[in-house]
Structures are given as structure tokens and as C-alpha cells.
Amino acid sequence: MVTDPELRVDLGARDVVARVVDPEMPMLTLDDLGVIRSVEEDGGGAVVTITPTYSGCPAIEVMRDDIRIALGEAGYDRVEVRTVFSPAWSTDWISEAGRRKLAEAGIAPPGKAPARAAGPIPLTLGAPSTQVRCPRCGAPSTEEFSRFGPTACTALRRCPSCQEPFEHMKEI
Amino acid sequence: MSHVEQGEHDATNAYQSLSETTAHDDPRWAFGTGFEDGLSLGEAEITAPVPEGVDAADLAAYCQMLGDDALIYSQQLSEWVANAPELEEEVALANTALDLLGQARVLLARAGHVEGADRDEDALAYLRDQAGFRNVALAEQSDELDFGRCIARLLIFSTWRLALLHRLLDSKDPVIAAVAGKGVKELTYHRDYAARWALRLGDGTEESHRRVQAGLDWAWPYVEELFRTSDEEHRLIEAGVAVDPAGTREEFDAVLAQVLDRATLTRPEVPPVGTIGGRSGRQGVHTERLGHVLAEMQSVAREHPGATW
């Protein structure tokens, strides 16, 4: 176990956890992604509560392990990582810094998540919105060609101006 | 999580360096992510007390119903992996299956906890026999790699499950309400995906229309069961934990009518599959398909009980 007393002085458990990166989108920290619910210090240990992005998100276990490792290396010898589901995660929780980093990495950041009106959820049969800016050339209008991308949270789009395909983090 | 882990690193273990998961001293179950994960799936919620006035056995059964629908549908949808007509559709169907699997894991972990018989999500998924499963028959059918069937079955299933989960947002069971909160977001785009394909195929070529109509005709006999209310559900509705599936019929019919009209498809007029003395999936009575599903899904777990890596 790597114990670094100096690091321990500099960084509280919250700071250590906040710097852990998302295993599928390593340009984002867990803090950017908005999945950290709480970090409580308890003597030499820490209890971390996170929330998964999607029900079946395969990254959640790696996140938990990476949190344990980071806290272990920072000198926390008892680490417990809890996962809670409610309230459900929303892309609205991604920080401004996170949105900027996504765009810089060529992934169009999500727009505002749809508000839930009362009554049955309406079916969407129309063509997907074109109002997603191309993260490469900045063209304001692009087209979705698959709602499901390489990770659970992205859709695939292409830009008619620069012809480049790109991922878009879809709003939920 | 019931135990505390040390952040130990074993420098002599070459396999640890293959992943960043070096904090894992505990063996993992070879199939699924195992006991540890079952416990750590949000202890605060999975272990929440049974709501007042609710029979624990009824709640465990209901969590199994909702969980088994998702688990078995997920397993059957996974038949498309490496078999879909286009890479994008393969990714879409695999993603959909993954969402449902995620819902199933939480619901089965809750069922296992509430039941109090020392069974976790993996024990419930891998070690129950056919009669112990409570999913509806629609979930266990195979699309047999027919994309028309795939879209018809997914349209029916996701429309129904979305209507159910939307009503379960206010369930008095905190775990069911939490699964509904995430599930509603997911089912919304599952349903949109199926509906858009139904539209494209139904209002497409003569051949695509014929194929998706045939898929609907094939799936329709399993529709009636979706709106049948079990005894456990009747009791849990009173307690504010369950919702009455019969109450989702109107919404289901309206959504299907909206899609079928636009897609120039015809609502099938076919008799429903029968019951055995009034019993069907919710009571553990299944079509012969479930045996095949379980044989495949459970083979590794049964061949190597308790195996770890």
C-alpha cells in the first residue's frame, strides 16, 4: 500500500475521489460527471457514495475499484464505496468543466435533459433533433445516425459540413 | 457492502496489473459479479426495511416478477449480439439488453434480501429452476434472429414496461421506486427505438411491411398475459407498493395504435396463449422456451458451482 503522508495533508478524501477519472470517458473526472453523492471521512477511513449513470453501466465497478485504490494510495486504510440509485442520475449533473472537456475531446456535450411532464410519456416518432453542434468544426446543425453509441451514454452523429462522425452524450 | 476492504497491492500477482482493479483482494464469482457486488449494490437501499403493512414474501415475489421480466428479456435480446443486420443495430440491442440487465440485478438483489433465504442476485438468476421464475411468456420468446419479430416484440415489451415503471415511480418500496426512476428514462428510448423501426419497416417496402406484420402476429398471443393481475400484485396494490398491470392496458393500446396507424400495420386479431388452470408466467408456469433460455444462461454457473477468479 502506498502511503503518502504529504498527500494526505494536501488532499481530503473528497478531493481524492473527485480526481478519479471515468473509466469509459477518461477526460472526465467523477466530479465532472456528477456521480459522487457524498464522501465522509471517519478517522483513517472513508465512506464514499456514488450513483450509476445507467442501470446496467458496466463502468460502475471499475469506478468503485479506482476510488478504493486512489484513497488507499492517499493513506485511507478503510474504504467503503456505496452505490445508490435514487434520485436517478441526469446529464444535467455534468459540470461546466466536464462539458468543456467533452467538447475538447470531440464528444458533443448533452443539452438540457427533457423535463418530465405529468401524464404518460409521449412517444417520439419524428426525426431526431439536428440541434447539436459539431464538436470538430462548430457547425450548428448535425444529424444523428444511431441513438446508441459505443458506450451506453452516447449517440452517434455526423456533421454534414466537415463530414466527420462524432459521439454525442445523450440527454437523460 | 458489509465488510471493509484494505487497499492492498500484491506485486507478485501478474494478473492484477492487467486491470486497474488492484484493490480487489476478494475473489470474484466467475459468472456475474458475484456476492460482493450483490451486497454493495447500494446497501442503504437494497436493505431498506419492508414497508409497513407489506408481506415480505409478496414483496420478494413482486421484485422477482419485475426482475425476471428484465433478466430473461435481456438474455433473449442478447441473441442479436454478433448477429444483427447492421453494427449500429447490434450496439442498440446490446445496449438495451444491458439496461434491462441492470434493472434486473437491483430487483433480484432486493428480492433476495427481502426473502431472507440467503440468496443473492446471482443465486436467483443462476440457481433457480423454471418453476421458480416469474417472468411473462413474452420475455422468454426467441426472435430467432428475425428483425421483424425483434422490433414487434420490443415495441410491445417496452411500451408495457414503460407504462408499468412510470406508475411505479411512487411505489412505497424505495428500491422499486429507484429502479423505476432510472428505468423510465431507459425504457423511453427503448420504446422510441422500436417504434421508429416499426414505422420505417411498416411503411417501407412490401417485404419489410410483410416481415414486421408477421412479427406482430407472432408476438400478439403473448400480449394478454401482460395485463393479468396476480394475487401478490392485488395485495401489494392495496399497500401502495405495486401497480395494477391491468391499468396500463389503455395506455398500451393508445401507443400501439399511434405506431401501427402511422406504420400502416394492422393490430392482430389472434387468440391469446392459454393458461394452465389460470396459471401462467407469474405463477411459474412457462412456455417451453424458458428451458432453453435457462440451459444457456445457467450452464457455466451450474457446471462450476461457486467458481471464482
Side-chain angles (χ1 to χ4, degrees):
Chain A
M1 186 166 74
V2 183
T3 307
D4 185 342
E6 280 181 54
L7 198 62
R8 179 69 186 279
V9 170
D10 291 337
L11 295 178
R14 180 72 174 73
D15 298 316
V16 173
V17 175
R19 290 176 182 207
V20 173
V21 297
D22 177 78
E24 288 189 334
M25 295 193 175
M27 74 294 285
L28 295 185
T29 65
L30 298 188
D31 202 34
D32 291 329
L33 193 58
V35 297
I36 304 169
R37 284 282 165 74
S38 67
V39 181
E40 288 165 25
E41 293 195 43
D42 167 24
V47 179
V48 182
T49 305
I50 57 174
T51 191
T53 52
Y54 286 72
S55 295
C57 180
I60 193 86
E61 275 184 68
V62 182
M63 285 182 196
R64 281 210 307 260
D65 288 341
D66 289 348
I67 289 170
R68 288 189 196 113
I69 293 164
L71 285 171
E73 287 178 350
Y76 292 88
D77 52 7
R78 286 175 293 109
V79 176
E80 186 179 337
V81 184
R82 295 184 174 182
T83 314
V84 298
F85 297 89
S86 181
W89 179 80
S90 162
T91 42
D92 288 352
W93 297 356
I94 297 175
S95 67
E96 281 309 314
R99 287 162 200 272
R100 196 186 63 243
K101 290 179 200 171
L102 280 171
E104 283 167 6
I107 299 173
K112 184 99 184 96
R116 293 263 167 255
I121 295 164
L123 190 66
T124 314
L125 284 178
S129 167
T130 59
Q131 299 306 301
V132 174
R133 185 173 290 278
C134 174
R136 297 192 188 277
C137 75
S141 175
T142 57
E143 60 190 25
E144 178 181 297
F145 64 94
S146 180
R147 187 86 187 121
F148 297 85
T151 72
C153 46
T154 60
L156 293 174
R157 303 185 73 92
R158 73 167 71 84
C159 173
S161 298
C162 68
Q163 307 292 321
E164 287 287 334
F166 65 92
E167 287 176 63
H168 168 226
M169 198 151 181
K170 57 196 174 194
E171 299 81 13
I172 67 163
Chain B
M1 213 166 67
S2 63
H3 62 288
V4 170
E5 286 191 29
Q6 305 290 322
E8 297 286 343
H9 182 85
D10 176 5
T12 62
N13 184 347
Y15 292 101
Q16 281 192 341
S17 62
L18 291 177
S19 76
E20 285 192 68
T21 60
T22 48
H24 249 290
D25 293 332
D26 296 336
R28 296 187 179 201
W29 231 30
F31 12 85
T33 37
F35 298 115
E36 184 217 32
D37 199 52
L39 290 168
S40 58
L41 263 170
E43 183 179 46
E45 291 182 327
I46 298 293
T47 58
V50 174
E52 207 168 319
V54 172
D55 181 66
D58 282 348
L59 178 58
Y62 189 54
C63 289
Q64 277 185 32
M65 293 175 194
L66 295 171
D68 288 346
D69 287 342
L71 174 68
I72 300 299
Y73 200 103
S74 172
Q75 174 72 18
Q76 285 299 68
L77 197 56
S78 303
E79 289 182 325
W80 286 98
V81 175
N83 285 307
E86 298 277 351
L87 184 59
E88 284 79 3
E89 304 324 311
E90 177 149 327
V91 171
L93 296 171
N95 259 318
T96 302
L98 186 62
D99 287 338
L100 291 171
L101 185 61
Q103 295 170 20
R105 291 185 59 190
V106 182
L107 288 162
L108 293 183
R110 177 64 167 165
H113 173 77
V114 169
E115 174 189 69
D118 214 20
R119 294 196 290 183
D120 69 357
E121 44 163 325
D122 284 330
L124 286 170
Y126 294 123
L127 302 176
R128 272 181 299 162
D129 294 324
Q130 280 190 61
F133 277 82
R134 291 175 173 273
N135 59 282
V136 292
L138 182 72
E140 70 207 26
Q141 302 311 307
S142 168
D143 298 326
E144 294 181 352
L145 300 184
D146 181 310
F147 197 66
R149 282 190 178 192
C150 172
I151 293 306
R153 194 168 72 102
L154 188 59
L155 176 65
I156 293 167
F157 182 79
S158 58
T159 301
W160 169 66
R161 190 169 175 87
L162 177 58
L164 270 186
L165 293 191
H166 192 226
R167 287 162 176 75
L168 284 169
L169 288 170
D170 300 321
S171 170
K172 286 202 176 134
D173 183 73
V175 178
I176 292 175
V179 171
K182 295 196 83 61
V184 160
K185 295 179 180 216
E186 294 160 357
L187 266 303
T188 298
Y189 61 74
H190 299 172
R191 188 185 65 173
D192 280 349
Y193 171 82
R196 283 173 169 162
W197 264 113
L199 186 58
R200 199 173 300 148
L201 296 173
D203 196 21
T205 67
E206 204 173 301
E207 173 67 2
S208 70
H209 177 94
R210 184 187 70 75
R211 294 279 294 274
V212 73
Q213 182 66 54
L216 270 179
D217 295 346
W218 162 79
W220 210 260
Y222 303 105
V223 167
E224 190 176 283
E225 182 190 4
L226 308 180
F227 307 103
R228 219 176 278 146
T229 315
S230 66
D231 292 343
E232 290 91 347
E233 285 168 304
H234 272 303
R235 290 192 291 269
L236 290 171
I237 292 163
E238 302 252 319
V241 165
V243 294
D244 191 350
T248 66
R249 180 87 213 213
E250 198 180 330
E251 180 181 329
F252 174 88
D253 285 342
V255 171
L256 264 288
Q258 189 188 349
V259 177
L260 300 190
D261 286 352
R262 293 251 332 246
T264 72
L265 293 164
T266 310
R267 185 189 164 98
E269 293 292 340
V270 288
V273 289
T275 61
I276 296 181
R279 294 181 308 143
S280 54
R282 294 302 191 217
Q283 291 77 35
V285 176
H286 296 282
T287 67
E288 64 177 27
R289 287 296 326 176
L290 187 62
H292 298 276
V293 179
L294 297 187
E296 188 171 71
M297 187 177 81
Q298 299 180 334
S299 60
V300 177
R302 293 206 186 249
E303 187 82 12
H304 306 282
T308 57
W309 59 275

